[in-house]
Amino acid sequence: MQGETGNGEREDPPALQDLQVRGRPVRTWVAGAGVVLLAISAAFGGLAKAEEETPRVDAGTAVDAGQFEVTIQRVTVVTDLKPLFSPDEGGALLGVVTKLELTDKTGTTAPTDLIRVLDVPGIKPTDAPLGTTNLRDQTQSPVLTPGFGEDVAYIWKLPKATELPRQVTLGIQHYTFGESVLDHHEKWTKDRLAAETTVAVKDNTK
Protein backbone atom coordinates (compact mmCIF):
# COMPACT_ATOMS: atom_id res chain seq x y z
CA MET A 1 0.00 0.00 0.00
CA GLN A 2 1.05 3.57 -0.56
CA GLY A 3 0.95 5.96 2.41
CA GLU A 4 0.74 9.72 2.71
CA THR A 5 3.37 11.94 4.25
CA GLY A 6 2.55 14.85 6.53
CA ASN A 7 2.48 17.25 3.58
CA GLY A 8 -0.11 15.17 1.69
CA GLU A 9 2.36 13.54 -0.69
CA ARG A 10 2.15 9.81 -1.22
CA GLU A 11 5.23 7.72 -0.40
CA ASP A 12 6.14 4.48 -2.16
CA PRO A 13 6.20 1.25 -0.12
CA PRO A 14 9.67 -0.06 0.80
CA ALA A 15 11.25 -2.42 -1.70
CA LEU A 16 11.46 -6.11 -0.78
CA GLN A 17 15.16 -5.87 -0.19
CA ASP A 18 14.55 -3.08 2.36
CA LEU A 19 11.83 -4.85 4.38
CA GLN A 20 12.87 -6.19 7.77
CA VAL A 21 11.47 -8.89 10.07
CA ARG A 22 12.75 -8.97 13.66
CA GLY A 23 15.53 -6.62 12.67
CA ARG A 24 16.74 -8.76 9.76
CA PRO A 25 16.12 -8.17 6.04
CA VAL A 26 13.38 -10.35 4.49
CA ARG A 27 15.77 -11.67 1.88
CA THR A 28 17.93 -13.11 4.71
CA TRP A 29 14.95 -15.09 6.04
CA VAL A 30 14.11 -16.35 2.54
CA ALA A 31 17.67 -17.48 1.90
CA GLY A 32 17.84 -19.19 5.30
CA ALA A 33 14.60 -21.09 4.61
CA GLY A 34 16.05 -22.28 1.33
CA VAL A 35 19.16 -23.62 3.05
CA VAL A 36 17.06 -25.50 5.62
CA LEU A 37 14.89 -27.02 2.87
CA LEU A 38 17.95 -28.24 0.98
CA ALA A 39 19.50 -29.68 4.13
CA ILE A 40 16.35 -31.64 5.01
CA SER A 41 15.97 -32.77 1.42
CA ALA A 42 19.55 -34.05 1.30
CA ALA A 43 19.02 -35.97 4.52
CA PHE A 44 16.10 -37.90 3.08
CA GLY A 45 17.25 -38.56 -0.46
CA GLY A 46 17.13 -35.23 -2.26
CA LEU A 47 14.47 -33.36 -4.19
CA ALA A 48 12.74 -35.27 -6.98
CA LYS A 49 13.35 -33.83 -10.43
CA ALA A 50 10.25 -34.29 -12.53
CA GLU A 51 12.15 -33.65 -15.74
CA GLU A 52 14.48 -36.61 -15.17
CA GLU A 53 13.23 -39.81 -16.76
CA THR A 54 14.39 -43.30 -15.92
CA PRO A 55 16.70 -44.61 -18.70
CA ARG A 56 15.27 -47.47 -20.78
CA VAL A 57 17.50 -50.35 -21.83
CA ASP A 58 17.12 -53.61 -23.74
CA ALA A 59 17.24 -56.99 -22.09
CA GLY A 60 20.82 -58.26 -22.01
CA THR A 61 22.23 -54.79 -21.28
CA ALA A 62 24.40 -54.45 -18.18
CA VAL A 63 23.08 -51.72 -15.88
CA ASP A 64 25.13 -49.88 -13.25
CA ALA A 65 22.98 -50.08 -10.12
CA GLY A 66 25.65 -48.71 -7.79
CA GLN A 67 26.19 -51.65 -5.47
CA PHE A 68 25.60 -54.12 -8.31
CA GLU A 69 25.94 -54.56 -12.03
CA VAL A 70 22.62 -55.99 -13.19
CA THR A 71 21.72 -57.66 -16.48
CA ILE A 72 18.13 -58.81 -17.13
CA GLN A 73 18.54 -62.04 -19.11
CA ARG A 74 15.01 -63.42 -19.55
CA VAL A 75 11.54 -63.70 -18.02
CA THR A 76 9.52 -66.93 -17.84
CA VAL A 77 6.29 -68.22 -16.32
CA VAL A 78 6.05 -71.73 -14.88
CA THR A 79 3.41 -73.74 -13.01
CA ASP A 80 5.73 -74.74 -10.15
CA LEU A 81 9.30 -74.72 -8.89
CA LYS A 82 9.14 -77.40 -6.23
CA PRO A 83 10.70 -77.78 -3.73
CA LEU A 84 11.81 -74.14 -3.75
CA PHE A 85 8.66 -72.20 -4.66
CA SER A 86 5.02 -73.00 -5.34
CA PRO A 87 2.15 -70.77 -6.52
CA ASP A 88 -1.23 -70.39 -4.90
CA GLU A 89 -3.94 -72.73 -6.15
CA GLY A 90 -4.86 -71.84 -9.73
CA GLY A 91 -1.87 -69.54 -10.06
CA ALA A 92 1.59 -69.63 -11.61
CA LEU A 93 5.07 -68.26 -10.99
CA LEU A 94 6.86 -65.44 -12.76
CA GLY A 95 10.64 -65.75 -12.87
CA VAL A 96 13.02 -62.91 -13.76
CA VAL A 97 16.50 -64.28 -14.45
CA THR A 98 19.31 -61.81 -13.84
CA LYS A 99 23.07 -61.76 -14.01
CA LEU A 100 24.28 -60.04 -10.83
CA GLU A 101 27.80 -58.92 -10.07
CA LEU A 102 28.60 -57.26 -6.77
CA THR A 103 30.72 -54.12 -7.19
CA ASP A 104 31.27 -53.60 -3.45
CA LYS A 105 34.17 -55.18 -1.55
CA THR A 106 31.90 -56.91 0.98
CA GLY A 107 29.78 -59.95 0.15
CA THR A 108 26.02 -59.60 0.56
CA THR A 109 22.77 -61.29 -0.35
CA ALA A 110 20.88 -60.20 -3.44
CA PRO A 111 18.38 -57.61 -2.12
CA THR A 112 14.70 -58.38 -2.67
CA ASP A 113 13.97 -54.82 -3.82
CA LEU A 114 16.62 -54.82 -6.57
CA ILE A 115 14.07 -55.78 -9.26
CA ARG A 116 10.54 -54.37 -9.52
CA VAL A 117 7.67 -55.68 -11.65
CA LEU A 118 5.94 -52.52 -12.86
CA ASP A 119 2.99 -53.49 -15.05
CA VAL A 120 1.66 -56.99 -14.32
CA PRO A 121 -1.89 -57.34 -12.95
CA GLY A 122 -1.82 -58.97 -9.52
CA ILE A 123 1.70 -57.72 -8.73
CA LYS A 124 2.21 -54.24 -7.31
CA PRO A 125 5.46 -52.37 -8.14
CA THR A 126 6.20 -52.36 -4.41
CA ASP A 127 5.60 -56.12 -3.97
CA ALA A 128 8.69 -58.05 -2.92
CA PRO A 129 9.33 -61.32 -4.74
CA LEU A 130 8.39 -64.64 -3.21
CA GLY A 131 12.11 -65.29 -3.05
CA THR A 132 15.39 -65.46 -4.95
CA THR A 133 17.53 -68.41 -5.99
CA ASN A 134 20.93 -69.00 -7.50
CA LEU A 135 20.48 -71.02 -10.70
CA ARG A 136 23.90 -72.62 -10.29
CA ASP A 137 23.06 -74.56 -7.14
CA GLN A 138 19.44 -73.59 -6.30
CA THR A 139 20.53 -71.76 -3.16
CA GLN A 140 17.79 -69.48 -1.87
CA SER A 141 18.71 -65.90 -0.92
CA PRO A 142 22.21 -66.43 -2.36
CA VAL A 143 25.23 -64.51 -1.08
CA LEU A 144 27.07 -62.63 -3.81
CA THR A 145 30.87 -62.61 -3.87
CA PRO A 146 32.71 -59.44 -5.00
CA GLY A 147 33.78 -59.59 -8.64
CA PHE A 148 32.01 -62.88 -9.39
CA GLY A 149 28.81 -62.87 -11.47
CA GLU A 150 25.90 -65.13 -10.55
CA ASP A 151 22.67 -66.03 -12.34
CA VAL A 152 19.97 -65.17 -9.82
CA ALA A 153 16.24 -65.65 -10.41
CA TYR A 154 13.62 -63.44 -8.75
CA ILE A 155 10.28 -65.24 -8.32
CA TRP A 156 6.79 -63.73 -7.97
CA LYS A 157 3.38 -65.35 -7.65
CA LEU A 158 0.84 -64.79 -10.42
CA PRO A 159 -2.76 -65.10 -9.20
CA LYS A 160 -4.17 -66.78 -12.33
CA ALA A 161 -2.39 -69.29 -14.57
CA THR A 162 -5.03 -68.56 -17.22
CA GLU A 163 -4.05 -64.88 -17.45
CA LEU A 164 -0.34 -64.77 -18.15
CA PRO A 165 1.49 -61.63 -19.31
CA ARG A 166 3.09 -61.63 -22.74
CA GLN A 167 5.65 -59.04 -21.73
CA VAL A 168 6.65 -57.23 -18.55
CA THR A 169 8.30 -53.93 -17.74
CA LEU A 170 10.90 -54.19 -15.01
CA GLY A 171 12.59 -51.54 -12.91
CA ILE A 172 16.15 -51.93 -11.65
CA GLN A 173 16.81 -50.23 -8.32
CA HIS A 174 19.92 -48.09 -7.88
CA TYR A 175 21.84 -47.89 -4.59
CA THR A 176 24.21 -45.21 -3.38
CA PHE A 177 26.92 -45.46 -0.72
CA GLY A 178 27.14 -42.85 1.98
CA GLU A 179 26.90 -41.97 5.64
CA SER A 180 23.57 -42.13 7.42
CA VAL A 181 22.55 -38.77 8.87
CA LEU A 182 20.94 -40.56 11.81
CA ASP A 183 23.79 -42.70 13.12
CA HIS A 184 26.78 -41.75 10.90
CA HIS A 185 27.06 -45.36 9.74
CA GLU A 186 28.23 -45.88 6.16
CA LYS A 187 25.92 -48.09 4.15
CA TRP A 188 24.24 -48.63 0.79
CA THR A 189 20.76 -47.14 0.44
CA LYS A 190 18.34 -47.12 -2.48
CA ASP A 191 17.81 -43.75 -4.11
CA ARG A 192 16.21 -44.07 -7.57
CA LEU A 193 15.56 -46.42 -10.45
CA ALA A 194 18.71 -47.05 -12.45
CA ALA A 195 16.83 -48.27 -15.54
CA GLU A 196 13.67 -49.84 -16.91
CA THR A 197 13.40 -52.61 -19.48
CA THR A 198 10.51 -54.32 -21.24
CA VAL A 199 10.98 -58.04 -21.80
CA ALA A 200 8.94 -60.66 -23.64
CA VAL A 201 7.70 -63.47 -21.39
CA LYS A 202 8.37 -67.10 -22.28
CA ASP A 203 5.47 -69.40 -21.35
CA ASN A 204 6.82 -72.60 -19.81
CA THR A 205 3.50 -73.68 -18.27
CA LYS A 206 2.55 -75.93 -21.22
Side-chain angles (χ1 to χ4, degrees):
M1 293 179 59
Q2 291 183 330
E4 292 187 359
T5 63
N7 57 13
E9 295 180 354
R10 290 183 176 275
E11 61 179 4
D12 293 330
L16 177 62
Q17 62 267 27
D18 297 326
L19 289 176
Q20 293 193 350
V21 176
R22 296 182 182 178
R24 296 174 59 189
V26 168
R27 59 185 177 185
T28 301
W29 289 101
V30 172
V35 171
V36 171
L37 174 61
L38 290 175
I40 294 175
S41 172
F44 291 95
L47 293 173
K49 297 182 179 180
E51 67 273 11
E52 291 186 0
E53 294 186 356
T54 302
R56 297 193 64 84
V57 300
D58 295 329
T61 302
V63 174
D64 178 5
Q67 190 178 6
F68 309 90
E69 183 179 270
V70 182
T71 304
I72 303 295
Q73 300 190 90
R74 59 188 180 277
V75 179
T76 64
V77 288
V78 295
T79 55
D80 215 325
L81 285 174
K82 293 179 179 179
L84 298 178
F85 307 105
S86 293
D88 293 332
E89 185 176 353
L93 297 175
L94 176 77
V96 178
V97 179
T98 67
K99 171 74 75 175
L100 301 184
E101 183 170 337
L102 182 65
T103 60
D104 195 14
K105 297 179 180 179
T106 305
T108 186
T109 57
T112 57
D113 57 5
L114 178 59
I115 307 298
R116 302 184 189 180
V117 179
L118 302 180
D119 63 349
V120 174
I123 302 176
K124 298 177 182 178
T126 54
D127 285 349
L130 181 61
T132 61
T133 182
N134 188 326
L135 298 188
R136 176 171 52 84
D137 57 10
Q138 287 74 57
T139 300
Q140 294 192 54
S141 302
V143 175
L144 302 176
T145 302
F148 184 74
E150 292 280 11
D151 293 332
V152 177
Y154 283 70
I155 311 297
W156 281 266
K157 289 182 179 180
L158 291 171
K160 296 182 180 180
T162 56
E163 300 178 7
L164 302 177
R166 295 185 177 181
Q167 66 177 24
V168 298
T169 298
L170 305 170
I172 300 173
Q173 179 66 50
H174 185 275
Y175 303 83
T176 187
F177 188 75
E179 184 179 88
S180 168
V181 296
L182 297 178
D183 57 11
H184 302 292
H185 175 68
E186 289 187 333
K187 61 181 180 180
W188 289 94
T189 57
K190 59 184 181 181
D191 59 353
R192 58 183 171 82
L193 285 184
E196 291 182 6
T197 183
T198 300
V199 187
V201 177
K202 183 178 181 181
D203 185 356
N204 285 341
T205 62
K206 302 174 181 178

